[in-house]
């Protein structure tokens, strides 16, 4: 195993949280999880791969939608237990709801209010779903 | 318990990851963890509170350093299991190493390379440590 991979403080499940940030706009697109294999593949292919905890499998971002994330930079935090990926988000849509980013709900007066527009109908993004 | 707090998918330890982003520059400052109490306090006081997993206690960001994070906005992601805080970072230093942000290491040729400058000596930030 490469040293740079072992310097990461993987959690008990062998995962770390990874923040994807749009390299151009600075928008925080999403937070997902990575294991060693997904991070190694991300570096090797230059496109973000994650570990889906709900599906229990490796997952290439955009594998169905085409909304892949080209990697501009991979950063590690001071405690070595979180990653920051600066990416070029193809299609301008990171969220499975068809929105630009996953953090589209804002807390206002005790309610989570959706404030960002749906840019594409999810049924057109994921035709096989 | 308030409904907006219960809509969050807390993990088995009662925590969610929270990304702190500089509201003005868009820089991703850090990733930390919150429990219900820390998030409720964050909203109530308008300053970020986290749960320190290593110390096992509630932790107000900047309690020692004065580098508090004033809250501009609190966002929740599509799966309701990650938070994004847009903050005003007092002192311009979020990291305990004296750097602007915690993600100061970049992966280059198989090495994590520190690329961001230390803005203040940690011993002057945390005189009691």
């Amino acid at each position: 195993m490469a040293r740079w991979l072992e310097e990461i403080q993987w959690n008990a499940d062998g995962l770390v949280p990874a923040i994807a940030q749009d390299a151009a706009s600075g928008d925080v697109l999403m937070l997902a999880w990575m294991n060693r294999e997904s991070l190694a593949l991300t570096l090797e292919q230059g496109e973000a791969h994650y570990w889906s905890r709900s599906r229990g499998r490796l997952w290439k971002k955009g594998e169905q939608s085409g909304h892949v994330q080209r990697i501009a930079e991979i950063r590690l935090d001071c405690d070595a237990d979180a990653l920051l990926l600066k990416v070029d988000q193809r299609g301008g849509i990171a969220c499975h709801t068809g929105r630009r980013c996953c953090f589209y709900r804002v807390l206002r007066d005790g309610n989570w209010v959706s404030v960002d527009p749906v840019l594409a109908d999810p049924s057109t993004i994921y035709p096989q779903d």
Side-chain angles (χ1 to χ4, degrees), chain A:
Chain A
M1 187 63 67
R3 190 167 53 89
W4 67 272
L5 272 175
E6 288 314 308
E7 288 176 19
I8 296 171
Q9 299 297 311
W10 306 95
N11 74 10
D13 297 320
L15 304 175
V16 285
I19 303 161
Q21 182 182 30
D22 189 292
S25 70
D27 289 336
V28 174
L29 300 173
M30 53 186 276
L31 184 144
W33 292 79
M34 286 185 154
N35 62 4
R36 290 169 177 80
E37 185 185 6
S38 62
L39 180 52
L41 274 171
T42 295
L43 181 68
E44 187 182 308
Q45 300 191 11
E47 296 183 331
H49 291 65
Y50 300 102
W51 176 259
S52 170
R53 298 175 303 167
S54 58
R55 290 171 287 172
R57 71 167 180 88
L58 201 73
W59 154 55
K60 177 181 169 177
K61 173 67 186 166
E63 62 190 4
Q64 283 189 282
S65 63
H67 296 155
V68 301
Q69 295 176 336
R70 290 290 306 171
I71 301 294
E73 200 172 75
I74 301 175
R75 287 181 172 242
L76 182 64
D77 78 346
C78 50
D79 296 327
D81 62 2
L83 294 166
L84 174 63
L85 314 177
K86 301 204 179 188
V87 305
D88 167 27
Q89 175 63 63
R90 295 297 162 86
I93 293 176
C95 186
H96 75 286
T97 65
R99 293 178 175 89
R100 184 180 49 90
C101 80
C102 295
F103 294 95
Y104 58 83
R105 291 187 279 185
V106 177
L107 186 59
R108 286 185 185 160
D109 302 324
N111 293 290
W112 296 108
V113 181
S114 295
V115 295
D116 295 335
V118 173
L119 302 177
D121 184 333
S123 69
T124 67
I125 304 179
Y126 305 98
Q128 270 105 48
D129 273 2

